[in-house]
Each structure stands twice: as C-alpha cells, then as structure tokens.
C-alpha cells in the first residue's frame, strides 16, 4: 500500500520544499477588508471530506497541528484558506526582473497574480478575493504557494494546468503552446447552480474565478472605468441627445468597490455629475484617497443640492453618498428630483452572500447577519430589492433612463419575487422590462463592431514604459474613422492625466480586432527594439467574443442562441490552438454560477517573431469569433463588420453570413397556421 513517504518522494514541487518548517500563525493588518463568513451547509461526512481535501496539500508531519486549525477556519469562515501559508508582509506586482523563473511567461504570470492580491487592488486580500465579492485568484494559500513555485520551474516546453485554483501540474508541450491553461468552477450541467457550487467551494473543489481574478489578469478598477465611461457617454447620446459629453447631466448609481469603484471616475471623465451610494466606508475612503470621488456626503438633501449646483455650472463632480441606494432613490421620488441616468453596480450575482446590503441595515449589521442569521438576511434582501425596483419604475415613469449594468440586478429582483420585472411576467426567457447596458448600448454600439476592453501591463513596472505605450497606441488609432475611435483616441490621450493606474503599470483601451492587432504588433516591435520592457496583453473576459451570458454580454442575441456557450468555449480553445501564453475558461463571470461561461487570455510580448505570428492569428480570432456569432444572430452592425472582414482577409479567413428573412412573409405564414388551429 502506498504511504505518504512514497508520495513525498515522488514529488519535487511540494510545500515542504518551499517551507523548512511550518510557518507561524498569521498576523492580520488592521483595517484591511475581510470576507464575510461564507455559506456552510456541509453534512458531517462532507465536512470530513473538506478537511481531508485541504490536508492533501500538507506533509503528514504537519497534519496533527494543522487539521484542527483548518477545521476551525471551515466552521468560522465557511472555507479553508490556509492563512498560515500566506507570504508575510505586502504582496504586490513587482517588476518582472525581481521574480525567479526559467521562461519569461512564468515570471510574467507571477507579476499578475501578485498584483491581483495587492492590498490596494484586492477586495478581500487575505481570502484571495480580487473583486466582485467572491472572485478569487485561487481557493487557498497552499495553492498560491504551489502555483508560484510551479511558475518558477516552468519552461517554454511545458504547460501548467490549473483546475479551480488547484495546480494539477506541469506537462510537456512546445514553445508554441500556452504556458498556462486555467479553468474555474465548470460544474456539470445537472449541478450547475449556486447551491451545489457553494457546497463544492466549501469542500475545496471549486473556485469562483469571476473573470480576471481567477484568470490572473485584473488591472484594478481602471478596466471598468473605460467600460462605464463608454456606457454612460453612449447612453447620453442615445437617450439624452448629447453630442460630446455629459455636462449638466446627473448619473446616480451604487457601489464603490473593486469594479463599481470606477463609477465616480467615469462620470468625471465624461464631464457629468454623479452620486454614487456606498454602505462600506472603507471603499469610499479608497476612492477618495485615489481622487476618484471628490466629496463624501451623508445627508441626502445635501448630496442632491451639491449635485444641482455643479450641474447648473456645467462642472463635473463625483459625490460619494455614504448610505443606502434605496434611501437615496426614495428621497428622489418623494421630492420629485429628476435623475437623467440611473444604474446599479452592487454585486447582485451574489445578493445573499453580501453582494447587496438591504435598506435599513448598516454594513456592519449586514456582516453580522451573514454570520448569525442568514435566513433573516435573505428576507431583508428580498424586501429591499423589491422596493428598490418599485422606486426605479416610478423614476422611469418620470423620464429617467435606467439600465442594468450587468451585475444581475434584474435577475436578483426577479428571484426576490418581483415577477413583473420579466417581460412576460412569468419567467426570464424573454428578458426583463429594463434593458441591460449590453442590450441597449454596448452590444449594438461596441461589441457588434468588435470593440472591447483590450488591455496591457508594462511588466518592467516603469511608468515611462506605460507613457511610451500610450503614445504608440494613440498613433495607431484613426480618430476620424468612427465615433468609437474618436472616443478611444481621447481616452488614451488623457489616460495619464486622469491617473487611472491602481497596482501595476497597466492600461485599458477599447479597440476592435484590427486595432488590437495593430497596437499589439507595434508594442512587440518596441520590445524587440529595446524601447520598452516586456508587455502582458489581455482583455476583460467581458468582451465581444469572450463570454456567453444571456443577462449581460450576449443580451442582444435574439435568435435563441443566447443560452448557448459555444462562443466562449470556442474562443478559449481557439486561443489555445493559436498559442496564447495563458487561456482561461470560467463559469459564472460577473453574473453568477450557471448564468455565464467566459473565456480570457494573456499574451506575453517578448519581442520575438513567434509572438508576432501569434498576434496575427490569435488577436483577430479572439474578437471575430464574437462578431461572427453576433452576425449569425442577425445583428446588423456585426453583419456589416463581418462583410468588411471577409473582404479584407479574403485569402485567409471567411465568416459565414446569414440571409435575412422577410419578416412579413414569416409572420403571415406562422399566423395562418396558428389561426387555423394547426399548432397546438
């Protein structure tokens, strides 16, 4: 029978090689946000399995000491995090040359992982949560330590495989293969729901990667600043008739956390006035210290007064309202205050796990209720969501434009019991009465053309490298081609002035397929010429081709395929086949388990011709697989984009285009059959 001694001898990468002795118990820095207790509903037998699962990482000599400690973590935190194995002191994305490694990609991904866990970046850094309330780099600190060591040993003829945070191991591949392949939370269909996922996570076999958390590509809230900026600017164009910016307009929303923290900054860049509600003062303080909000106001009347004053002067201002969004909207309704644009960016993909704070409950009371009385908390969340919805309906009736920002707010309202938010009043199959921001804005105006959140990180850690890449990207954009290009040209022109960097020296820039390819080739040339150090390319998984999600990214897919996950899967597989440095496929994304499949990538620019070739084949594929799917769903703007692509790449690529049926013919034939009673 195989024993633990045999197992230890068979591994060259294990915790006992990293630690000569068991690390001391951790010290937690006061003031750093901590994750609330996670749902724990394991049976006695399942609890035993969870404990054994965590001990799989631990040499037998430490079992006796760590087993009770891990069990205590499980019972008090809802998860086993292995706090002992967190590195002492500050974790942050250091310059790439400060990392050990046998290939550039191995060192580059260590930069990205550590950036995701920076105190200034991560939502709950001690629990490895980067953003979105539950989005983790990996499940526990044992996995973190092993992943880091594997990346140090990784060569350019190996691939590291990571399954829901667990480093499966190194496997022989080739220099043209991905160096890392990641999956997170891919539940078998029958079990693909929040309840089963919660159990799997507690047992230590599932990780919620969110998008760029478990895909190691998060660059701080800068990423969503651009998306929010694009959204509110185009909402203003479509619904308010503005041309250039949002001067004189009021935007109201909630959330100032990891992703939602972008809202104040976005409204400032768009030159409007924003009031953003937030119940967690630590998040407000972060944005205030960054300069992403201008002022904190606790009195609702004062918040609207100051907003009106700046609107009248056509001056931009970002107000953080320290309080609950429902209270804010209730005041607006009762006092007949007009709101131009209204949204919500709380983490409603997990409303019952702390993502939504109900009206009448402080943030501290919310945290205590999550620990002590989950049923009461759920009851309060449902009541608050329904009232929140009623207030929005009234404001919309008075002329406000409300849009769901893809945080599953409308789905959460439906689940809370407000069936009238569904278009058919019965279920979610036909969508909701309010548009998703993708359905109305991002889909037709950006995704259908291939524009999405392209991004890069200057791995040298040098700000001067970032400035050089900004300038080069700007030179690659023709601002006169489309209004989208003009918006993005202005964005990158002002990017440094707007002080967007949080964590590593990174930038986001919405670009289409050809724009991304052109910029990537230019950056790789700059690396080759020694003008800048190596660069990591990536994108948010929330993109043209990266994510299948009927409530968000694919909300403007109307041919019935909005419930299919073929696109994201093909995007992932195609990127792997074309040699991207990292490929990732996750369940859940920004909307919750079972509601999305999303794929991402990372590509290290090392200046080589090999990378030039990957850029030419993989970057257009990564975008156009989405345009092709949107085109086949008969979205007019994407059909136009696909036609142009077929012309431009007629010798190498070809997208299948749809013939458009005559609506009158189809309707006439179907009506006749139904009228004749031939359809039961």
């Amino acid at each position: 029978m195989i024993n633990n001694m045999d197992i230890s001898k068979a591994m060259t990468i294990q915790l006992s090689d990293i630690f000569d002795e068991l690390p001391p118990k951790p010290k937690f820095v006061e003031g750093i946000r901590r994750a609330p207790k996670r749902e724990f509903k394991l049976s006695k037998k399942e609890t035993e399995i969870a404990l054994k699962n965590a001990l799989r990482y631990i040499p037998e000599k430490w079992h006796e000491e760590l087993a009770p400690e891990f069990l205590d973590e499980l019972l008090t935190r809802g998860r086993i995090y292995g706090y002992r194995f967190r590195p002492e002191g500050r974790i942050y994305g250091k310059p790439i040359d400060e990392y050990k490694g046998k290939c550039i990609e191995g060192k580059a991904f260590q930069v990205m992982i550590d950036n995701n866990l920076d105190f200034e970046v991560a939502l709950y850094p001690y629990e490895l949560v980067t953003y979105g309330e539950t989005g983790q780099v990996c499940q526990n600190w044992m996995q973190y330590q092993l992943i880091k060591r594997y990346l140090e040993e990784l060569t350019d003829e190996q691939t590291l495989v990571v399954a829901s945070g667990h480093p499966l191991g190194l496997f022989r591949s080739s220099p043209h293969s991905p160096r890392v392949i990641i999956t997170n939370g891919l539940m078998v269909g029958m079990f693909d729901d929040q309840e089963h996922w919660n159990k799997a996570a507690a047992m230590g076999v599932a990780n919620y990667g969110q998008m760029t958390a478990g895909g190691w590509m998060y660059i701080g809230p800068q990423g969503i600043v651009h998306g929010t900026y694009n959204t509110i600017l185009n909402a203003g164009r479509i619904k308010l008739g503005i041309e250039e910016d949002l001067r004189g307009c009021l935007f109201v929303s909630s959330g100032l956390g990891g992703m939602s923290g972008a809202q104040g900054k976005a409204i400032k860049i768009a030159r409007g006035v924003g009031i953003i509600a937030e119940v967690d003062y630590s998040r407000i303080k972060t944005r205030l210290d960054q300069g992403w909000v201008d002022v904190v106001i606790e009195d609702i009347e004062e918040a609207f007064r100051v907003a009106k004053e700046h609107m009248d002067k056509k001056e931009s201002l970002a107000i953080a309202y320290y309080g609950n969004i429902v209270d804010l909207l209730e005041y607006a309704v009762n006092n007949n205050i007009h709101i131009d644009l209204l949204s919500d960016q709380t983490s409603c993909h997990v409303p019952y796990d702390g993502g939504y704070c109900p009206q009448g409950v402080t943030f501290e009371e919310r945290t205590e209720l999550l620990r002590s009385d989950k049923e009461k908390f759920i009851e309060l969340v449902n009541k608050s969501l329904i009232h929140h919805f009623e207030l929005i309906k009234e404001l919309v009736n008075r002329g406000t434009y409300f849009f769901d920002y893809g945080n599953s707010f409308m789905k959460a309202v439906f689940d809370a019991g407000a069936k009238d938010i569904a278009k058919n009043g019965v279920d979610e199959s036909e969508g909701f009465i309010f548009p998703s921001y993708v359905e109305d804005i991002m889909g037709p105006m950006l995704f259908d053309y291939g524009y999405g959140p392209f991004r890069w990180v200057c791995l040298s850690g040098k700000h001067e490298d970032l400035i050089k890449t900004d300038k080069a990207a700007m030179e690659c954009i023709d601002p006169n081609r489309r209004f989208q290009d003009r918006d993005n040209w202005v964005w990158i022109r002002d990017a440094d002035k707007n002080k967007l960097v949080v964590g590593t020296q990174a930038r986001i820039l919405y670009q289409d397929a050809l724009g991304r390819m052109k910029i990537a080739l230019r950056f790789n040339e700059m690396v080759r010429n020694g003008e800048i150090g190596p660069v990591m390319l990536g994108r948010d998984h929330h993109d043209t081709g990266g994510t299948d999600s009927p409530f968000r990214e694919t909300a403007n897919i109307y041919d019935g395929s909005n419930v299919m996950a073929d696109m994201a899967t093909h995007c992932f597989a195609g990127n792997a086949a074309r040699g991207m440095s990292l490929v990732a496929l996750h369940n859940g994304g920004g909307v919750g388990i079972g509601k999305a499949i999303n794929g991402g990538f990372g590509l290290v620019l090392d200046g080589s011709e090999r990378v030039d070739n990957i850029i030419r084949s993989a970057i257009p594929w990564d975008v156009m697989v989405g345009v092709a799917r949107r085109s086949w769903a008969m979205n007019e703007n994407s059909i136009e984009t696909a036609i142009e692509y077929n012309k431009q790449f007629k010798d190498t690529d070809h997208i299948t285009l749809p013939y458009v049926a005559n609506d009158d013919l189809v309707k006439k034939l179907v009506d006749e059959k139904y009228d004749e009673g031939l359809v039961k």
Side-chain angles (χ1 to χ4, degrees):
M1 184 175 176
I2 295 175
N3 58 40
N4 282 332
M5 184 65 73
D6 298 327
I7 289 167
S8 181
K9 288 178 179 177
M11 290 192 292
T12 55
I13 297 175
Q14 54 186 310
L15 288 179
S16 56
D17 295 326
I18 302 171
F19 299 96
D20 294 327
E21 57 186 28
L22 187 60
K25 289 186 176 181
K27 297 175 183 174
F28 299 101
V29 177
E30 195 174 339
I32 300 298
R33 284 185 297 270
R34 302 293 305 281
K37 180 186 176 183
R38 302 306 189 189
E39 183 173 286
F40 178 81
K41 290 186 177 179
L42 301 185
S43 68
K44 183 180 177 183
K45 183 64 177 176
E46 289 164 343
T47 303
E48 290 174 6
I49 294 172
L51 184 56
K52 288 194 288 185
N53 284 348
L55 291 171
R56 290 183 290 191
Y57 294 103
I58 308 299
E60 187 178 353
K61 62 184 178 182
W62 295 335
H63 280 198
E64 194 168 333
E65 185 170 353
L66 285 179
E69 191 173 305
F70 283 180
L71 181 58
D72 185 63
E73 286 182 16
L74 182 61
L75 297 178
T76 59
R77 312 291 307 184
R79 303 283 189 273
I80 296 172
Y81 295 110
Y83 292 115
R84 273 195 195 242
F85 295 96
R86 184 191 180 276
E88 210 172 322
R90 181 191 171 203
I91 298 174
Y92 66 100
K94 298 183 287 290
I96 189 170
D97 292 341
E98 294 185 26
Y99 290 91
K100 298 176 185 174
K102 296 179 180 178
C103 67
I104 188 171
E105 293 90 348
K107 294 194 285 185
F109 290 121
Q110 293 180 68
V111 177
M112 303 305 295
I113 289 171
D114 284 353
N115 183 65
N116 273 19
L117 295 169
D118 189 333
F119 284 160
E120 294 182 4
V121 173
L123 175 60
Y124 303 129
Y126 285 115
E127 287 75 39
L128 299 112
V129 175
T130 301
Y131 69 94
E133 194 61 36
T134 52
Q136 291 181 267
V137 171
C138 51
Q139 298 177 58
N140 57 58
W141 291 104
M142 295 83 79
Q143 292 177 345
Y144 167 89
Q145 291 286 0
L146 289 172
I147 289 168
K148 291 290 291 289
R149 177 54 62 90
Y150 272 118
L151 290 171
E152 289 177 0
E153 297 298 325
L154 180 72
T155 73
D156 62 6
E157 293 188 341
Q158 293 174 313
T159 296
L160 172 63
V161 180
V162 181
S164 273
H166 170 64
L168 203 66
L170 296 176
F171 295 87
R172 184 170 62 183
S173 55
S174 81
H176 302 285
S177 304
R179 298 280 69 81
V180 179
I181 295 178
I182 299 172
T183 56
N184 277 298
L186 300 181
M187 313 287 290
V188 173
M190 179 178 172
F191 305 96
D192 193 9
D193 56 55
Q194 193 67 47
E195 184 179 349
H196 282 96
W197 185 88
N198 285 341
K199 180 178 287 190
M203 293 176 72
V205 296
N207 187 56
Y208 197 77
Q210 192 89 15
M211 291 183 161
T212 50
W216 308 344
M217 293 298 298
Y218 189 60
I219 61 167
Q222 176 186 175
I224 199 169
V225 174
H226 198 359
T228 307
Y229 160 78
N230 271 326
T231 301
I232 59 177
L233 194 61
N234 285 308
R237 287 167 175 156
I238 297 170
K239 302 297 178 179
L240 307 179
I242 65 120
E243 292 184 7
E244 291 297 319
D245 54 44
L246 290 172
R247 272 179 277 200
C249 300
L250 177 62
F251 171 60
V252 172
S253 187
S254 59
L256 286 171
M259 298 291 277
S260 55
Q263 297 185 102
K265 189 68 173 177
I267 191 65
K268 285 181 68 176
I269 296 172
R271 305 269 184 104
V273 174
I275 304 176
I276 317 299
E278 174 59 68
V279 293
D280 180 356
Y281 193 80
S282 72
R283 298 183 180 190
I284 292 176
K285 188 175 184 308
T286 297
R287 304 308 166 207
L288 193 64
D289 292 345
Q290 287 173 337
W292 285 25
V293 296
D294 299 302
V295 62
V296 183
I297 300 177
E298 292 187 47
D299 181 81
I300 298 177
E301 184 180 1
E302 175 72 0
F304 280 115
R305 187 193 64 76
V306 172
K308 179 71 165 53
E309 187 179 288
H310 282 74
M311 289 162 64
D312 291 344
K313 294 178 182 177
K314 301 291 194 285
E315 295 174 349
S316 65
L317 188 73
I319 300 167
Y321 164 63
Y322 181 34
N324 197 292
I325 181 65
V326 185
D327 292 331
L328 190 75
L329 299 186
E330 199 166 61
Y331 184 91
V333 167
N334 292 339
N335 292 274
N336 203 29
I337 294 171
H338 178 67
I339 297 170
D340 295 295
L341 303 174
L342 176 63
S343 192
D344 183 273
Q345 275 195 41
T346 53
S347 295
C348 280
H349 64 288
V350 282
Y352 307 126
D353 290 325
Y356 182 91
C357 185
Q359 185 183 27
V361 173
T362 66
F363 179 73
E364 291 73 23
E365 290 168 340
R366 157 265 197 195
T367 304
E368 175 58 26
L369 278 168
L370 280 168
R371 187 193 67 80
S372 63
D373 195 345
K374 186 71 175 287
E375 287 186 7
K376 177 66 175 177
F377 181 74
I378 292 171
E379 181 188 322
L380 291 172
V381 167
N382 288 340
K383 181 182 177 184
S384 185
L385 280 167
I386 291 171
H387 187 41
H388 195 160
F389 168 53
E390 289 168 348
L391 293 168
I392 292 170
K393 281 195 296 185
E394 180 56 36
L395 288 165
V396 169
N397 288 336
R398 298 179 187 184
T400 295
Y401 174 64
F402 172 81
F403 58 94
D404 186 317
Y405 200 82
N407 62 336
S408 280
F409 173 77
M410 289 191 291
K411 179 66 167 69
V413 169
F414 179 85
D415 291 343
K419 304 303 180 187
D420 56 326
I421 199 170
K423 281 182 179 176
N424 59 17
V426 178
D427 57 35
E428 315 100 302
S429 62
E430 297 175 29
F432 300 109
I433 61 173
F434 300 130
S436 147
Y437 75 124
V438 171
E439 198 170 4
D440 253 20
I441 303 164
M442 297 287 277
M445 300 185 76
L446 293 168
F447 289 168
D448 284 356
Y449 291 100
Y451 290 93
F454 182 61
R455 58 180 63 185
W456 63 91
V457 174
C458 295
L459 295 166
S460 67
K462 296 177 180 176
H463 186 66
E464 55 263 37
D465 279 9
L466 185 61
I467 298 300
K468 289 175 183 176
T469 57
D470 284 348
K471 185 174 183 296
M474 195 174 168
E475 291 169 353
C476 291
I477 299 170
D478 176 6
N480 299 314
R481 184 176 67 139
R482 296 187 183 123
F483 75 84
Q484 296 96 328
D485 295 297
R486 177 69 189 176
D487 288 347
N488 289 310
W489 187 85
V490 170
W491 168 270
I492 202 71
R493 181 195 68 191
D494 297 338
D496 189 56
K497 179 181 71 177
N498 285 324
K499 296 183 170 47
L500 297 165
V501 171
V502 180
T504 53
Q505 296 295 316
R507 187 70 76 220
I508 183 166
L509 173 63
Y510 270 58
Q511 279 292 283
D512 65 355
L514 300 184
R516 298 185 207 195
M517 183 173 70
K518 189 176 180 181
I519 291 169
L521 287 169
R522 175 76 179 97
F523 287 180
N524 201 44
E525 182 185 30
M526 292 167 74
V527 176
R528 185 159 51 242
N529 295 338
E531 299 172 53
I532 57 173
V535 173
M536 175 74 77
L537 286 190
R539 57 163 170 78
D540 194 341
H541 302 197
H542 160 72
D543 193 22
T544 299
T547 300
D548 289 299
S549 176
F551 302 123
R552 195 163 87 167
E553 285 83 357
T554 45
N556 70 320
I557 299 293
Y558 303 113
D559 68 344
S561 71
N562 60 328
V563 300
M564 305 301 293
D566 296 303
M567 178 182 71
T569 308
H570 275 295
C571 187
F572 163 82
N575 283 339
R578 289 164 175 82
M580 290 290 202
S581 307
L582 174 147
V583 291
L585 190 69
H586 301 163
N587 181 7
V591 292
I593 286 294
K595 301 183 183 73
I597 297 292
N598 57 89
F601 78 85
L603 177 62
V604 179
L605 306 187
D606 61 4
S608 66
E609 289 187 14
R610 174 185 67 85
V611 169
D612 276 350
N613 291 330
I614 294 171
I615 290 168
R616 291 190 181 99
S617 64
I619 294 290
W621 158 259
D622 185 71
V623 177
M624 295 308 295
V625 66
V627 173
R629 187 267 185 93
R630 293 167 184 280
S631 167
W632 191 243
M634 293 174 288
N635 289 2
E636 188 174 345
N637 292 339
S638 55
I639 294 174
E640 177 190 319
T641 306
I643 290 172
E644 186 59 37
Y645 187 83
N646 278 357
K647 290 177 182 175
Q648 194 162 352
F649 292 89
K650 60 182 174 51
D651 296 328
T652 58
D653 298 15
H654 190 82
I655 293 170
T656 306
L657 296 168
Y659 290 106
V660 181
N662 183 294
D663 285 343
D664 292 337
L665 172 66
V666 170
K667 189 174 185 311
K668 178 175 177 293
L669 288 170
V670 173
D671 282 349
E672 286 174 358
K673 294 298 182 185
Y674 273 80
D675 292 344
E676 292 169 10
L678 297 176
V679 180
K680 303 293 184 183

